[in-house]
Amino acid sequence: MTLKPALRTLAESYTNQTLKQYQLSYHSKPLCHLHAIAVSPKSESLVSESRNSIIAHHLLDKTPHRDLLEYNHLLFEYFRNDRNNEAINLFVGLWRSGLQANGSILSSVLKVCGCLSDQVAGRQLHCQCVKCGCAEDVSVGTSLVDMYMKTEGVRDGRKVFDEMGDRTVVSWTSLIAGYARNGLNDQALELFSEMGLEGNKPNPYTFVTVLGVLAAKGMVEKGSQVHTMVIKNGFESITFVCNSLINMYLKSGIVKDAKAVFDCMPNRDAVTWNSLIAGYVINGLDLEAFEMFNQMGLAGVKFTQPIFVTIIKLCANYKELVFARQLQCCVLKSGLAFDRNIKTALMVAYSKCSEMDDAYKIFSMMQGFQSVVTWTAMISGYLQNGGTEHAVKLFCQMSREGVKPNDFTYSAILMARPYFSIGQVHAQVIKTNYEKSPSVGTSLIDAYVKMQNVHEAEKVFHIIDEKDIVAWSAMLSGYAQIGDTEGAVKIYLQLAREGVIPNEFTLSSIINACAAPTAAVEQGKQFHACSIKLRLNNTLCLSSALVTMYAKRGNIESANEVFKRQGERDLVSWNSMISGYAQHGNGKKVLEVFEDMRRQNLEMDGITFIIMISACTHAGLVDEGEKYFNIMVQDYHIDPTMEHYSCMVDLYSRAGNLEKAMDIINGMPFEAGANAWRALLGACRIHRNIELGKLAAEKLIALQPQDSAAYVLLSNIYAAAGNWQERAKVRKLMDERNVKKQPGYSWIEVKNKTYSFLAGDLSHPMSDLIYSKLEELNNRLSDMGYQPDTNYVLHDVEEEHKAAFLSQHSERLAIAFGLIAKPPGSTIQILKNLRVCGDCHTVIKLISVIEARDIVVRDSNRFHHFKDGLCSCGDYW
C-alpha cells in the first residue's frame, strides 16, 4: 500500500467516523462564538479553582486569628495553580504577622522559588530554615535540593543532599532529576546506581527521570534493564511510567518494543498516544503515525495540542491539503483554534500546499499575537512558493512592527536575493548579535558564495562560534565554485584537525573542488579513498560528484566505473555521465547512455538536452543534434532557453553551416546572448567569413565590452585573411578600452607539483633540457615529413619566424618537460586554457607515435586523447 492512497483512505475514514459528528465549517460561526468554543471543561475547572483560591485569600484576610494550617492550605492552592508570585507575597505577609513558619510552609515556598528560578529568594529561605531549625526536616531538605537544581545551583543542591541526615526516595529523585535537568546525564545515572546500593527503592517518578536520561543518551540496553526493574517493582501498569518507556524505546529506534508497551497498557492518556505518534514520525513511519491518529479518534481520546501539531506537520510534509483542512475543523471543535503553535503549523501546511492565500488569512487572524515564529513561517512560505517580493515586504513590515528577527528569520530571508542587499541584512545580523550563529553564518556564506564573493564568505566562516558540518560544507562548496582547490583542501584539513566527521555533502564539496583544472590529479583519488573509508562512497550526491571529478580530470574510465556501481541514480547522475563522455568527445557513448536513460523513463530536464546538443556539436553530429532539440520540444514539452538556442548556433557554426546558425539567431523569441554570438564568431574564424565575423564581433562587444574573446577572434580573422591593417585597428581598440588578452598557458603535474608554461617560456629551471628535447622532436618530426602549418601564426612576420613561433607554443613546452620528467611509457596529461591550435594538434598526434606515449590534452573546448597517431576528437573540435 503506497503512502498517498493510504492517506486518502485515512482521510475518508477519519471524516466519516470522527469529523462527521462535528458538522463544522470554518466560517459558520461569528467571532464571539469561536471565542466561546475555546473554553473547555478543563479551563472551566481551572477558572473555578483560581476563583476559589481568591475567595480563600479574602476570607483569610478577614480572619482575626489565622493559623499556620490555613496559610499552608492557601500556599498549596497558589502553588498548584501556578500563582507563584502571590504565594511569595502570602509568605511575606505570614512572616510580617509574626507567625513562625513550619517545615511544611517552608517546603512549599522553596518549591515556589524553584519554579520562579529565584535563587536569591531561595538562599534567603535557606538561611531562615537553618535559623528556625527546619533544615534537618526531610521535606525541607528535599525542597532545598529541588530549588537549587532548578536555579542551576547544582553544587549547592548536592551539598544540601550530602548533609541530609535522612534521605527518602523523593530526595534521591529530586537530586537525580536535577542532574538530568542540568545536562549532567552521566552523574544522574551514577546516582541512580548509588541509590540502589544504599537500599533505596526507586518510585515511579525516579524511573521516569532515569528513563528520560537513557532516552537522551540512546542507551537502549540499559533502558531494557530499567524496564525489567519497573516490572519487578510492579510499576508496569502506571501510565506515566509506560509513557517514559515508550519514549525511550522510540528515541532509540526500537519501535517494536515501544508498540509492545503501548499494547499492554491498561490505561492510556493523551500523552501516551502523542508519544507513540511522534515516535513513529521520528522513525520515518509516517503512514503508521496517520493510522495511530485515526485509532486515537476512534478510541474517543480527546485530541491535544501536541497531537494536532504533529499530524498537521505530517500533512505539510506530504502536501495533504484536504486532510489539513479537515484537521483545521477538528481544531475549531476542540477549542484550540487560537493556539499559536497549531496556527503556525496550519500556516506551514498551507504554504507547502502552495495555498498562500489561506496561509495569509490565518496569519492575519493572529494580529496582536504574532510572534517571530509566525512571521518567519510566513516569510519562508512565500520564499518556497516563488513570492520572494512578498517575503521581503513581510520582513520589512516585521521590523516596522518591532518584532525582532531570530536566526531562522535571517536564514530564510538571506535566500531572497536579489530583492535585498546582502550587505544590509549582514549589518542587521551583526547589530542583533547573530553573526556567530551557525545557521545564520551558513546562510550568509551561501549568499556570498552565490555572488562569487568568497573573501566575505571566509570572514563570516571564521566568526562562527560553533561550526556545524553544514557550515564547513558551505565553505568548501564556495571554494569549489571558484575552483580554489588549495583553499578547499586547507579548510578540509582544518575540519579534520578539529575532529569534525565529514558527511557525504562535505566530501562531495571537496571532490568538486578537486575537479578544478589546476587541482592535483591524485587529490581527488585521495578523497575518494577517504569516502570509501567512511562508507559514504555509494551515497547519491557523492558518487555523482566522483563521476564528474574523474571525467573532468581526464579519467573517463574511472568515471564510468563509479557510475556503474551506483546503487541508485537520479537525473544528476545521468547528466554527469553524459557530460563526461561529451567532454571526452565520445559521441557514440553519449547517445548510448542517453538511450539507457530514456528506457528508465526518467523525467529529463533542460540541462540534459544542453549536454546532448553540445555533445553532438563536438562530435560533428548535426542531424542528431537537431533530432534531440526536436525531442526536447515535442516529446518532453521543454521550452528552449537561451542556452539551448546557443547550443544550436554552435552546432551549425562548427559544421560550417553559418546560414542556418544565423537563422537560429534571427528566429529566437528573444535577443541572442553573448554565447550565441561567441559561437558564431569562433566559427567565422575557422571558416574565414570576414563579413559575418565582423557582425558577430560587433554584437558580442556591445554585450560584453570588456571580454577579450571578441577582439581576439576578430583580429585573428583579419590576420588569417592577411588584412594586417584591420587587425591593427582591432588591437588598438583593445588598448584604448584597456581590454587585456588572456595569455595562453599550459600546465602539467609532475610528482604532485604543477608547472605552468607560456609560449616561448624560459623561466623553468630545466629550460635548456626542455628546448633541447623540443629540437630533438622537431628533427624527428621532419624525418616523418611534417611541415608546419603557418596559417595558425597570426603575426605579420617571415615564414621561418612563424615556424619558430609554432614550435614554442606552451603545450609543446609542457609535453617536452613531461617527456623528460615522467617515467618512460607513462601517460602525459596537460591542461591548456585556450583552444589547442591545428598545427599543435597535428604535432601531438605525431609525438604520440614517436615517443610511444598516450597524451591527454584538456583545452578550453574538450579532452583530446592522443594515441598511436590518432586523436579521440577525430580532428573535429
Side-chain angles (χ1 to χ4, degrees):
M1 189 178 190
T2 57
L3 190 59
K4 285 283 182 182
L7 287 176
R8 299 283 180 227
T9 305
L10 271 172
E12 290 168 9
S13 170
Y14 189 79
T15 304
N16 293 334
Q17 299 177 47
T18 310
L19 289 176
K20 192 174 179 181
Q21 59 186 313
Y22 297 149
Q23 296 296 316
L24 183 67
S25 64
Y26 190 89
H27 295 292
S28 62
K29 296 185 179 182
L31 189 61
C32 59
H33 288 179
L34 294 178
H35 278 286
I37 289 170
V39 181
S40 65
K42 183 179 178 182
S43 63
E44 288 175 2
S45 173
L46 287 172
V47 169
S48 175
E49 288 176 3
S50 179
R51 191 179 294 119
N52 288 341
S53 63
I54 293 169
I55 294 168
H57 197 164
H58 288 318
L59 290 172
L60 185 69
D61 287 340
K62 294 177 182 179
T63 304
H65 303 290
R66 305 165 188 165
D67 60 21
L68 291 176
L69 187 62
E70 290 169 332
Y71 272 108
N72 192 37
H73 175 72
L74 191 54
L75 274 170
F76 178 76
E77 287 295 321
Y78 279 144
F79 176 68
R80 190 173 67 168
N81 289 298
D82 200 27
R83 298 175 63 182
N84 297 315
N85 287 317
E86 286 148 294
I88 291 288
N89 291 334
L90 182 64
F91 175 75
V92 171
L94 179 151
W95 179 71
R96 285 175 177 166
S97 70
L99 287 173
Q100 184 70 35
N102 60 21
S104 180
I105 288 175
L106 289 168
S107 178
S108 295
V109 181
L110 283 166
K111 288 175 183 175
V112 169
C113 291
C115 292
L116 291 171
S117 299
D118 190 345
Q119 194 179 110
V120 174
R123 285 187 182 280
Q124 291 173 347
L125 281 169
H126 191 173
C127 294
Q128 185 72 16
C129 292
V130 173
K131 187 177 178 181
C132 67
C134 294
E136 295 179 5
D137 186 295
V138 175
S139 65
V140 173
T142 302
S143 295
L144 279 167
V145 171
D146 183 66
M147 181 275 296
Y148 279 121
M149 289 298 181
K150 284 181 178 176
T151 57
E152 299 181 0
V154 177
R155 186 178 297 176
D156 291 327
R158 182 57 191 264
K159 187 178 179 182
V160 170
F161 178 83
D162 291 339
E163 291 174 356
M164 287 175 67
D166 296 317
R167 300 169 188 159
T168 64
V169 65
V170 180
S171 310
W172 282 96
T173 302
S174 294
L175 188 66
I176 293 168
Y179 273 111
R181 186 181 293 109
N182 287 280
L184 303 170
N185 292 328
D186 291 330
Q187 292 91 322
L189 293 176
E190 287 174 12
L191 277 170
F192 179 67
S193 300
E194 188 181 332
M195 175 183 177
L197 292 172
E198 291 194 12
N200 292 281
K201 286 188 176 181
N203 66 13
Y205 299 99
T206 317
F207 282 118
V208 167
T209 302
V210 172
L211 286 167
V213 171
L214 295 170
K217 292 181 72 65
M219 298 173 66
V220 69
E221 291 182 9
K222 182 71 174 175
S224 298
Q225 294 171 8
V226 173
H227 189 175
T228 306
M229 294 172 67
V230 167
I231 296 170
K232 188 177 178 181
N233 283 273
F235 300 142
E236 71 274 16
S237 60
I238 297 176
T239 302
F240 62 84
V241 176
C242 292
N243 291 345
S244 295
L245 283 166
I246 290 170
N247 180 58
M248 185 271 296
Y249 281 124
L250 287 170
K251 282 189 175 178
S252 303
I254 315 297
V255 179
K256 186 179 177 182
D257 288 354
K259 185 64 166 61
V261 173
F262 177 86
D263 290 338
C264 293
M265 289 176 69
N267 299 300
R268 305 178 187 124
D269 59 12
V271 176
T272 313
W273 290 92
N274 189 54
S275 297
L276 193 63
I277 291 169
Y280 277 145
V281 174
I282 290 169
N283 287 280
L285 302 171
D286 296 337
L287 180 56
E288 287 81 354
F290 278 115
E291 288 175 347
M292 194 55 59
F293 176 73
N294 190 36
Q295 288 181 31
M296 182 180 178
L298 296 174
V301 182
K302 186 175 180 180
F303 297 129
T304 59
Q305 184 256 25
I307 289 285
F308 277 125
V309 171
T310 300
I311 297 299
I312 292 169
K313 283 181 179 178
L314 274 185
C315 289
N317 293 341
Y318 288 98
K319 299 183 179 178
E320 282 294 326
L321 179 61
V322 174
F323 203 13
R325 291 196 191 283
Q326 292 169 346
L327 287 170
Q328 187 175 9
C329 294
C330 293
V331 167
L332 288 165
K333 185 67 178 178
S334 300
L336 296 169
F338 299 98
D339 184 88
R340 188 182 294 173
N341 291 332
I342 292 177
K343 282 200 165 191
T344 304
L346 282 167
M347 279 167 48
V348 172
Y350 287 136
S351 297
K352 289 195 175 179
C353 294
S354 300
E355 296 290 330
M356 290 309 300
D357 289 342
D358 287 342
Y360 191 73
K361 281 178 186 176
I362 294 173
F363 177 75
S364 300
M365 288 174 64
M366 297 173 72
Q367 195 73 36
F369 298 96
Q370 293 158 343
S371 67
V372 64
V373 177
T374 55
W375 283 96
T376 302
M378 202 65 221
I379 290 167
S380 299
Y382 276 121
L383 288 169
Q384 289 161 11
N385 288 281
T388 308
E389 200 169 347
H390 286 295
V392 173
K393 285 179 181 176
L394 267 182
F395 180 74
C396 296
Q397 184 184 341
M398 174 184 175
S399 299
R400 284 195 300 271
E401 294 190 15
V403 180
K404 291 183 179 179
N406 63 13
D407 49 344
F408 296 105
T409 320
Y410 286 124
S411 298
I413 200 64
L414 282 164
M415 297 164 57
R417 291 186 315 108
Y419 289 90
F420 73 93
S421 163
I422 185 174
Q424 289 176 344
V425 177
H426 192 175
Q428 194 171 340
V429 166
I430 294 169
K431 189 177 178 181
T432 51
N433 202 29
Y434 275 110
E435 75 248 283
K436 295 180 180 180
S437 161
S439 59
V440 177
T442 301
S443 297
L444 279 167
I445 291 168
D446 183 62
Y448 278 123
V449 163
K450 285 175 180 173
M451 294 172 62
Q452 300 286 304
N453 192 345
V454 177
H455 180 65
E456 284 298 325
E458 283 175 338
K459 287 181 182 177
V460 174
F461 178 77
H462 291 304
I463 288 171
I464 298 172
D465 268 345
E466 296 179 6
K467 301 176 183 70
D468 57 16
I469 194 62
V470 183
W472 289 98
S473 300
M475 196 64 246
L476 283 168
S477 177
Y479 285 119
Q481 285 187 37
I482 63 168
D484 185 357
T485 310
E486 187 179 348
V489 171
K490 282 181 180 177
I491 287 290
Y492 187 87
L493 293 174
Q494 184 185 342
L495 173 151
R497 282 194 299 271
E498 294 189 18
V500 180
I501 298 173
N503 61 20
E504 63 269 32
F505 303 106
T506 318
L507 283 165
S508 64
S509 293
I510 188 67
I511 285 168
N512 285 334
C514 292
T518 54
V521 174
E522 292 300 315
Q523 280 180 326
K525 292 181 180 178
Q526 289 170 359
F527 287 113
H528 186 180
C530 183
S531 72
I532 293 170
K533 187 177 179 181
L534 292 168
R535 297 182 180 180
L536 296 170
N537 56 304
N538 290 323
T539 56
L540 191 55
C541 70
L542 184 50
S543 55
S544 297
L546 285 166
V547 170
T548 302
M549 184 272 293
Y550 279 121
K552 286 187 175 181
R553 299 304 296 146
N555 193 343
I556 194 65
E557 293 80 12
S558 292
N560 186 42
E561 284 300 317
V562 174
F563 180 73
K564 287 193 296 186
R565 290 174 188 168
Q566 282 187 308
E568 60 172 323
R569 295 173 187 151
D570 62 0
L571 191 58
V572 176
S573 310
W574 288 95
N575 285 349
S576 297
M577 197 66 245
I578 292 172
S579 178
Y581 279 127
Q583 288 170 358
H584 288 262
N586 197 331
K588 184 180 176 182
K589 278 288 187 183
V590 167
L591 302 184
E592 284 178 10
V593 174
F594 181 79
E595 290 306 319
D596 286 344
M597 188 177 176
R598 289 188 75 180
R599 282 191 286 272
Q600 299 289 329
N601 293 321
L602 276 175
E603 188 176 337
M604 301 184 197
D605 62 4
I607 295 171
T608 308
F609 288 97
I610 289 173
I611 297 167
M612 288 302 300
I613 299 167
S614 295
C616 294
T617 298
H618 290 288
L621 304 172
V622 178
D623 292 339
E624 286 80 356
E626 287 179 336
K627 182 180 99 173
Y628 289 118
F629 184 84
N630 292 330
I631 286 173
M632 176 185 77
V633 176
Q634 295 167 10
D635 295 355
Y636 290 91
H637 308 292
I638 297 171
D639 293 328
T641 63
M642 176 64 75
E643 287 79 7
H644 295 106
Y645 284 115
S646 298
C647 288
M648 291 303 293
V649 171
D650 200 16
L651 176 75
Y652 291 126
S653 297
R654 286 177 188 271
N657 198 336
L658 302 181
E659 187 177 340
K660 267 198 170 183
M662 277 304 298
D663 288 342
I664 293 288
I665 287 175
N666 293 329
M668 286 184 195
F670 27 67
E671 290 293 320
N675 287 338
W677 290 113
R678 189 180 292 109
L680 182 63
L681 179 57
C684 289
R685 183 185 69 80
I686 295 168
H687 300 288
R688 302 190 180 185
N689 189 323
I690 296 177
E691 291 305 314
L692 193 54
K694 188 176 179 181
L695 171 66
E698 287 172 355
K699 295 286 187 181
L700 183 54
I701 289 169
L703 290 168
Q704 295 181 346
Q706 291 302 307
D707 183 7
S708 64
Y711 302 93
V712 173
L713 287 169
L714 182 59
S715 71
N716 288 350
I717 290 172
Y718 287 130
N723 192 340
W724 302 109
Q725 189 175 358
E726 289 298 322
R727 178 186 182 274
K729 287 181 181 178
V730 175
R731 293 289 178 169
K732 184 180 179 183
L733 183 62
M734 286 180 71
D735 292 338
E736 288 172 355
R737 295 183 178 180
N738 198 29
V739 177
K740 302 297 181 184
K741 177 183 178 294
Q742 184 182 17
Y745 278 96
S746 292
W747 293 268
I748 184 170
E749 184 185 333
V750 176
K751 295 179 181 178
N752 297 323
K753 187 176 179 181
T754 302
Y755 298 87
S756 63
F757 294 89
L758 279 164
D761 200 339
L762 295 170
S763 62
H764 197 280
M766 294 174 65
S767 285
D768 291 343
L769 289 173
I770 291 169
Y771 280 94
S772 175
K773 184 66 179 178
L774 274 179
E775 188 175 350
E776 176 199 326
L777 288 171
N778 286 335
N779 292 333
R780 295 173 71 181
L781 288 167
S782 297
D783 293 342
M784 295 178 72
Y786 159 73
Q787 291 293 324
D789 186 351
T790 56
N791 288 320
Y792 290 100
V793 180
L794 304 173
H795 298 279
D796 188 13
V797 293
E798 298 297 327
E799 284 296 312
E800 58 269 23
H801 292 304
K802 288 183 178 182
F805 273 126
L806 287 171
S807 68
Q808 295 179 13
H809 273 189
S810 63
E811 54 264 54
R812 299 197 198 184
L813 293 172
I815 289 171
F817 174 64
L819 291 170
I820 295 167
K822 299 199 78 172
S826 62
T827 299
I828 293 174
Q829 184 169 334
I830 68 166
L831 169 75
K832 182 164 185 179
N833 64 332
L834 303 178
R835 183 181 185 272
V836 65
C837 81
D839 188 67
C840 287
H841 193 268
T842 301
V843 166
I844 298 169
K845 286 196 294 183
L846 295 172
I847 291 174
S848 72
V849 175
I850 293 169
E851 295 288 336
R853 297 264 194 142
D854 289 357
I855 302 173
V856 180
V857 177
R858 173 69 163 103
D859 71 1
S860 60
N861 283 341
R862 58 180 295 158
F863 279 94
H864 300 264
H865 294 261
F866 298 93
K867 185 175 183 179
D868 299 330
L870 299 173
C871 180
S872 60
C873 73
D875 298 339
Y876 187 92
W877 78 103

